[in-house]
Amino acid sequence: MICIAKKSLLNIGLISAIIVTGWFHLRTEEIFRHVEVIVNAKTEGVQVDEIAPAFTLPTLSGKEKTYKAGGAAVTVIHFFSTWCYPCQEEMPLIVKLEEEMTAKENQFIAVNLTSSETDRSQLQPFLNHYGASFDPLLDEAGLIQKKYQIFGVPTTLILDQKGKIISRINGPMNEEQVKMLLAR
């Protein structure tokens, strides 16, 4: 009789252990599915593999322009200032980049860090000097500079069609980088 009771107790314990193990397995799978959803979610940010945040700024011509993810196959967002020597050296390449990108129906956005300029009236003569035809956005309060963590200029972001940052170039681009970008 004791032997039968022990076997019954052992069977009940074994069945209980199987039920508890199955419950933990189901919970673990549910947790992993939740974590996978979070990991695969698009994260907004300003570094490579993040989705560039949207913004709206006035342009030099007085219009308002909005950047938001999606649309063009490739988008370049270029941050510059007129007083910045590397920006001056790089500007002929930027003008070429903008012309060829827009000809291919890609998007080029130039953002002047107007909050760091000593005299905004120097912007149009600067653009004229380099033959730039683009209408730069004006970050007058420095909010986009802060949002995009621009600590030095020039800084250039290359985005894919979904707005994901595929490259961030801190400093001036060289001719090879521009050629590679135009080959996309």
Side-chain angles (χ1 to χ4, degrees):
M1 187 83 160
I2 293 178
C3 195
I4 293 175
K6 281 185 178 180
K7 282 185 179 179
S8 294
L9 198 53
L10 189 59
N11 284 338
I12 291 172
L14 184 61
I15 291 171
S16 297
I18 291 171
I19 290 171
V20 168
T21 302
W23 183 82
F24 276 117
H25 178 72
L26 288 174
R27 285 294 294 155
T28 303
E29 288 219 352
E30 182 181 323
I31 290 169
F32 280 123
R33 277 194 302 271
H34 182 69
V35 168
E36 188 175 325
V37 167
I38 292 170
V39 168
N40 290 331
K42 294 179 182 178
T43 55
E44 185 177 278
V46 295
Q47 300 303 325
V48 172
D49 292 331
E50 296 178 323
I51 303 298
F55 61 87
T56 300
L57 289 172
T59 67
L60 183 61
S61 68
K63 299 174 185 168
E64 201 168 79
K65 186 169 182 179
T66 298
Y67 162 74
K68 62 181 181 179
V74 177
T75 298
V76 169
I77 303 176
H78 179 70
F79 296 88
F80 75 101
S81 292
T82 62
W83 54 262
C84 160
Y85 182 72
C87 298
Q88 296 167 13
E89 289 290 310
E90 177 191 51
M91 193 51 68
L93 288 173
I94 297 301
V95 169
K96 177 183 176 183
L97 176 65
E98 184 272 337
E99 289 171 352
E100 292 193 31
M101 284 194 65
T102 53
K104 293 180 180 179
E105 298 186 12
N106 289 310
Q107 187 175 23
F108 179 88
I109 300 170
V111 180
N112 175 255
L113 303 182
T114 315
S115 62
S116 71
E117 297 283 3
T118 55
D119 186 2
R120 179 179 158 181
S121 67
Q122 295 302 308
L123 183 53
Q124 190 61 60
F126 175 86
L127 296 170
N128 291 345
H129 175 76
Y130 292 103
S133 60
F134 54 82
D135 188 16
L137 282 67
L138 307 177
D139 188 12
E140 297 170 311
L143 297 176
I144 304 309
Q145 178 181 6
K146 185 175 182 179
K147 186 178 206 176
Y148 273 76
Q149 300 173 7
I150 306 299
F151 300 113
V153 283
T155 298
T156 306
L157 304 175
I158 296 96
L159 290 62
D160 69 9
Q161 188 171 15
K162 296 177 182 174
K164 184 171 102 176
I165 301 170
I166 54 178
S167 182
R168 181 181 173 118
I169 302 166
N170 297 311
M173 288 194 290
N174 60 42
E175 225 166 305
E176 289 303 311
Q177 289 170 312
V178 171
K179 284 180 186 175
M180 285 177 37
L181 182 57
L182 290 173
R184 291 181 186 258

